[in-house]
Amino acid sequence: MASTRTTVAPPSDRVRLIVASSVMLTFISFWRAAAIVLNDLGSSAFYAGGIAEQAVGAAAPWFILGIMLFSFAVRAVYVESCSMFTRGGVYRVVKEALGGTFAKLSVSALMFDYILTGPISGVSAGQYITGLMNELMTVANNSHWLPPALTEHGQPFQFDMNYTSAVFAAAVTIYYWWQNVKGIEESSDKALRVMQITTIMVVILFIWGAYSLMVVGVHLPPPPTPSHLKFSADSLGFLKNTGLPIFGLFGIIMAFGHSILAMSGEESLAQVNREIQHPKLKNLKRAAIVIAIYSLVFTGGATLLASMLIPDGPRTQIYQNNLIAGLAMYMAGPMFWRVAFRIFVVFVGFLILSGAINTSMIGSTGVLMRVAEDGVLTDWFRKPHPKFGTSHRIVNLVFALQMFTIIATRGNVITLGEAYAFGVIWSFTFNSLAMLVLRWKYHGERGWKVPPNIKIGKTEIPIGLFCVFLVLLSTAVTNLFTKSIATVSGIIFAAAFFVIFTVSERQNLRKHALTARQMKDHFQLEHQDTISRESVAVRPGGVMVTMRDSNNPVALKWVLARTKTEDRDVVVMSVRMMGAGGPEYLSAEDQSFSEHEQMLFTKAVSVAESFGKKVSLLVVPAGDVFAALVQGANALEVDSVVSGQSTSMTAEDQAFHMGQAWEALPEPKRQFNFYVVGGDGETKVFYIGPHAPTLGPDDVQLVHRLWLNMRRDPSVQDLHHSDIITYALTRLAGQYAREKVEILRDLRNYRASESPTLRIGGQDLTGVASPSSGHEPAQPANKAPRGV
């Protein structure tokens, strides 16, 4: 792809600054992408059925199943949007199709969805845990195990469901708030592991549930017809006192709207799309199918199973907010195994529901970061934490809103569910409307289209897309009248965010115009589609330095003090972290520089000038800092990467993550040294990539003695030292495949008997990187990169 460069020759006193247009990403399989989405989408299985039944009556399971089937169509809209040039979720799609005003409205509704995901998931997890504690109290009391202090008139002490759940949700929210302020590690491995454990629970649930139905008999819930709908007073919303009859199609749409929260989490598919590995569209479709089938079986199937196994009274009074826990207690079998399975259900619910709190916080932060990158939020929100380098002000805003929601609702899942549906339905509606507009506005190639489509002459009529939009719009409008809590709170919330976005955007237009002029006055900005050694104009074998804090450029000073820039090029790279839902490519107009970035680059030039040396400046957008570093090092063909000591992880942890990111790189890839410079100047260095192991004198002597002894046999007179090492490694590999447990045990015993300190060149070098990273310390801490 051709590079896009400035056409006007800049003054000679400006420093050249290369700005990448392509975002450096890590890439994951469609299984991992599906796991990430299901960690968000699957959480609704634990509470959607109970909330829907509270609103529409015993026919609710059929509407949950209908929602899960309809989610196939909604997911298809997201797949089409991801297959186009426009990528990055609701905000980017709506902005491209309908303009900035509608984009701000859509992201305001989406933020309401994200903000409420955390409280409703946390409170639901609290309901499962509180219900288990109360159940165990009852069992203990019946067995006379409970001390008198925990009983009253022979009845066991019972925790208040709502207040206890609210306390639990608040505690978990505080925990994840602090983790996000420090900079939590996003890992598809964790999401995959959670879904593996959840799948075990789902398999047990349906196998045992099928057996239980054979024992007690199958009793399906009443069919989803208007005559079987029993709307509660709260579910009528503004229609409650009007006396208007609820009948026919309108009643069906009302019930459909009260079940829509079972489909929350679909937006996550657009967020992970950019990181799905090649072939992207094919793997995106695979992920969408996996998500659709899993959510249909889990959310829809579990809700239907609960209605058939749990009697009406306990289901609507005791287990209304923790249906799957109730399922465990009404399985056919001994009480011990039912209680044991319920504990397992609560454990799985805690994993997926508490994880959804973190997902909501990351998603909210990512969305706000994306609008901040577009200049819709002021730079004050983007300013990194002085210690951790995170977008802490956005995290604090999200945290404050979630804590306010938990306190205001007092842990009431029904109230949270009512409000939650507002953001869900309106974000879907805006997205489908935008895609419908883009069918006429954008006539370029698409990788895929929502079927069916009819072509009349040269005009294509998107019947499928129009039908999806019509269903979503009619449900959204109906919800405005039948969900009074959602309507009032959602409109107030969305309006407040819309005003904040509008005012901030106007302030930024003036401020960014000044910043842009200052950047152009001081720097020669060149936008490159991709980063390469030729585009940055550096020689192979250089040094790449990361820079994050303009007040403490310790790594840059360390490198410049030891490098002759006449012989080796020094590249100062800053990673611009992209919010979740950002596109894969950024135009020059999309990349507005913040005040922090201007100070960063100005400081880098100032430090270089103080040493009387030259540096190249580079800024790359990325979703993961370690992926950006290894991709940048590989593209620039550098021999060394130098970074400052992280405030949130050790040098060994930094090396481990660098190693993991390097392993994920496609071939061909280069090895390099990774230096971590502490604030006191102490430096640790690690090899990244395959490398010859560092052998001590005793190891060399052992190989030599073996060589001498083996060469006494006339048949191996031409034996070399390398032959011995190769044979030993090959034999170990074969034995490891057959005797893994024994070899690992012997290896642990051997390492335990050795000193944890490595000696290289007569000097101590401590802090070996994790063996699983495949990367280890390279040189004594006081040595500089080769050739410096």
Side-chain angles (χ1 to χ4, degrees):
M1 191 179 290
S3 298
T4 305
R5 297 175 177 270
T6 53
T7 56
V8 180
S12 58
D13 61 342
R14 290 197 292 174
V15 180
R16 188 167 177 256
L17 171 59
I18 305 298
V19 185
S21 299
S22 59
V23 182
M24 292 185 171
L25 302 169
T26 54
F27 294 98
I28 56 178
S29 66
F30 72 90
W31 285 109
R32 292 176 182 272
I36 292 172
V37 177
L38 283 170
N39 266 258
D40 191 4
L41 187 62
S43 63
S44 60
F46 287 85
Y47 53 77
I51 293 175
E53 184 167 359
Q54 169 72 14
V56 305
W62 298 117
F63 288 98
I64 295 293
L65 279 171
I67 288 291
M68 301 323 296
L69 290 172
F70 180 62
S71 71
F72 281 70
V74 175
R75 203 168 290 112
V77 176
Y78 277 98
V79 171
E80 178 175 337
S81 71
C82 293
S83 71
M84 294 174 55
F85 68 98
T86 303
R87 295 184 174 96
V90 168
Y91 176 73
R92 294 295 303 177
V93 173
V94 174
K95 183 178 180 181
E96 187 66 38
L98 305 173
T101 300
F102 273 99
K104 289 192 285 287
L105 283 172
S106 67
V107 84
S108 298
L110 180 61
M111 281 301 301
F112 194 56
D113 177 355
Y114 270 126
I115 293 297
L116 264 71
T117 298
I120 195 172
S121 298
V123 168
S124 182
Q127 294 272 348
Y128 275 79
I129 292 174
T130 306
L132 176 61
M133 291 191 300
N134 287 342
E135 189 81 33
L136 293 176
M137 285 282 193
T138 302
V139 171
N141 185 62
N142 294 338
S143 302
H144 305 291
W145 296 340
L146 209 61
L150 295 178
T151 61
E152 185 177 353
H153 305 298
Q155 297 299 316
F157 172 80
Q158 297 284 281
F159 294 94
D160 184 276
M161 290 291 289
N162 287 350
Y163 285 108
T164 308
S165 300
V167 170
F168 173 84
V172 178
T173 303
I174 291 171
Y175 169 78
Y176 279 117
W177 161 73
W178 180 237
Q179 292 298 313
N180 278 272
V181 168
K182 291 192 299 182
I184 196 167
E185 176 192 352
E186 296 182 63
S187 173
S188 60
D189 292 334
K190 293 179 182 177
L192 189 61
R193 200 171 300 117
V194 169
M195 290 315 302
Q196 288 169 345
I197 297 172
T198 304
T199 301
I200 294 172
M201 184 204 75
V202 172
V203 171
I204 296 173
L205 184 73
F206 283 104
I207 292 176
W208 198 353
Y211 169 75
S212 301
L213 288 175
M214 292 172 60
V215 173
V216 303
V218 177
H219 304 283
L220 292 171
T225 57
S227 61
H228 290 108
L229 297 178
K230 307 294 183 183
F231 292 104
S232 65
D234 291 337
S235 66
L236 293 175
F238 296 114
L239 304 180
K240 181 168 56 178
N241 298 319
T242 61
L244 293 175
I246 306 300
F247 59 88
L249 182 60
F250 183 71
I252 298 295
I253 295 175
M254 276 183 60
F256 196 76
H258 283 288
S259 308
I260 200 75
L261 77 164
M263 199 167 51
S264 64
E266 295 287 349
E267 172 69 10
S268 300
L269 182 64
Q271 313 293 4
V272 302
N273 167 65
R274 65 179 188 171
E275 298 192 39
I276 295 178
Q277 65 187 17
H278 181 79
K280 186 178 289 292
L281 182 58
K282 184 177 181 180
N283 283 325
L284 176 66
K285 289 180 180 179
R286 288 173 173 173
I289 292 172
V290 171
I291 294 163
I293 295 174
Y294 196 104
S295 57
L296 173 65
V297 172
F298 183 26
T299 305
T303 305
L304 184 62
L305 193 61
S307 70
M308 291 189 287
L309 283 178
I310 308 175
D312 291 347
R315 189 180 67 249
T316 57
Q317 297 174 19
I318 301 175
Y319 299 111
Q320 175 183 325
N321 298 326
N322 50 7
L323 279 182
I324 300 179
L327 260 176
M329 298 306 295
Y330 279 89
M331 294 290 188
M335 176 61 73
F336 172 80
W337 291 112
R338 284 184 281 164
V339 172
F341 184 52
R342 180 172 180 177
I343 293 172
F344 182 50
V345 166
V346 171
F347 171 71
V348 174
F350 170 78
L351 286 180
I352 199 167
L353 288 166
S354 63
I357 298 175
N358 183 49
T359 301
S360 72
M361 203 166 286
I362 293 174
S364 303
T365 304
V367 170
L368 291 177
M369 278 295 293
R370 186 64 195 95
V371 298
E373 290 155 7
D374 261 14
V376 179
L377 276 180
T378 62
D379 286 342
W380 183 86
F381 286 98
R382 295 173 63 184
K383 189 173 182 180
H385 192 282
K387 182 178 181 182
F388 303 118
T390 57
S391 306
H392 66 293
R393 287 172 175 166
I394 291 180
V395 175
N396 291 341
L397 174 62
V398 173
F399 168 73
L401 290 171
Q402 290 188 334
M403 288 296 291
F404 171 78
T405 303
I406 293 170
I407 295 170
T409 58
R410 301 173 188 175
N412 191 311
V413 174
I414 303 301
T415 303
L416 284 166
E418 285 291 303
Y420 187 28
F422 179 90
V424 174
I425 188 64
W426 281 106
S427 62
F428 290 159
T429 303
F430 277 119
N431 190 61
S432 60
L433 173 61
M435 291 306 302
L436 198 59
V437 171
L438 286 174
R439 281 290 188 99
W440 279 276
K441 185 176 179 180
Y442 174 69
H443 301 288
E445 284 296 320
R446 285 171 170 79
W448 189 79
K449 294 180 180 179
V450 178
N453 300 284
I454 296 178
K455 204 161 188 177
I456 301 177
K458 294 183 178 180
T459 303
E460 184 181 70
I461 303 175
I463 295 178
L465 192 55
F466 180 75
C467 289
V468 173
F469 168 68
L470 195 62
V471 172
L472 289 170
L473 180 63
S474 59
T475 305
V477 172
T478 302
N479 277 8
L480 286 178
F481 297 98
T482 59
K483 285 181 171 289
S484 55
I485 295 175
T487 300
V488 174
S489 59
I491 289 177
I492 291 174
F493 183 95
F497 258 96
F498 182 79
V499 170
I500 292 172
F501 290 151
T502 303
V503 173
S504 296
E505 187 175 34
R506 290 177 180 174
Q507 290 179 349
N508 273 353
L509 286 175
R510 296 190 295 269
K511 188 172 182 179
H512 281 167
L514 176 62
T515 304
R517 285 197 302 271
Q518 291 173 340
M519 290 296 291
K520 289 179 180 179
D521 288 341
H522 293 91
F523 301 99
Q524 174 191 340
L525 301 179
E526 294 192 12
H527 293 269
Q528 303 284 351
D529 291 328
T530 58
I531 295 302
S532 66
R533 189 171 53 78
E534 291 76 17
S535 64
V536 184
V538 293
R539 295 162 290 184
V543 182
M544 189 174 78
V545 189
T546 67
M547 191 166 177
R548 187 195 70 181
D549 186 2
S550 60
N551 296 320
N552 192 25
V554 59
L556 179 58
K557 291 180 178 179
W558 187 87
V559 168
L560 291 175
R562 293 163 174 80
T563 306
K564 295 180 179 178
T565 53
E566 299 87 358
D567 302 327
R568 302 183 76 196
D569 293 315
V570 174
V571 179
V572 179
M573 187 173 92
S574 174
V575 180
R576 176 185 294 177
M577 296 303 296
M578 294 293 297
E584 294 175 40
Y585 295 91
L586 295 176
S587 65
E589 292 76 16
D590 282 333
Q591 303 199 50
S592 59
F593 285 91
S594 66
E595 183 181 352
H596 167 74
E597 288 176 320
Q598 183 182 358
M599 292 175 61
L600 200 67
F601 298 128
T602 302
K603 184 68 174 182
V605 173
S606 176
V607 170
E609 289 176 349
S610 69
F611 280 87
K613 296 178 179 179
K614 175 187 174 184
V615 295
S616 298
L617 303 179
L618 172 65
V619 55
V620 296
D624 177 81
V625 65
F626 295 104
L629 291 178
V630 296
Q631 289 180 47
N634 200 52
L636 299 178
E637 301 179 27
V638 300
D639 282 347
S640 304
V641 175
V642 183
S643 175
Q645 173 72 61
S646 171
T647 55
S648 58
M649 62 179 68
T650 64
E652 289 74 23
D653 288 336
Q654 288 177 257
F656 173 81
H657 288 292
M658 286 287 284
Q660 294 294 89
W662 188 90
E663 295 293 349
L665 276 182
E667 296 289 350
K669 49 189 178 183
R670 293 167 51 92
Q671 296 78 40
F672 58 86
N673 294 335
F674 177 52
Y675 293 80
V676 180
V677 184
D680 56 0
E682 181 184 356
T683 305
K684 293 183 179 180
V685 56
F686 304 84
Y687 286 122
I688 303 298
H691 55 275
T694 305
L695 298 178
D698 293 341
D699 300 321
V700 175
Q701 284 292 333
L702 177 59
V703 173
H704 185 65
R705 284 199 305 271
L706 287 170
W707 177 75
L708 288 174
N709 291 334
M710 292 178 181
R711 279 201 65 205
R712 292 172 184 170
D713 190 314
S715 63
V716 287
Q717 284 293 313
D718 59 346
L719 187 70
H720 298 284
H721 289 72
S722 60
D723 296 328
I724 295 172
I725 295 175
T726 302
Y727 173 74
L729 291 174
T730 304
R731 185 165 183 176
L732 176 62
Q735 288 180 326
Y736 181 74
R738 300 187 302 270
E739 307 168 18
K740 179 178 179 179
V741 176
E742 292 81 359
I743 289 178
L744 288 176
R745 182 195 62 220
D746 293 342
L747 188 59
R748 284 194 299 268
N749 293 337
Y750 169 76
R751 285 181 56 82
S753 65
E754 294 291 308
S755 169
T757 301
L758 294 180
R759 296 184 65 83
I760 302 177
Q763 301 187 41
D764 289 343
L765 180 63
T766 59
V768 181
S770 171
S772 61
S773 69
H775 314 283
E776 61 183 44
Q779 302 176 41
N782 61 347
K783 289 191 178 181
R786 177 171 57 84
V788 174

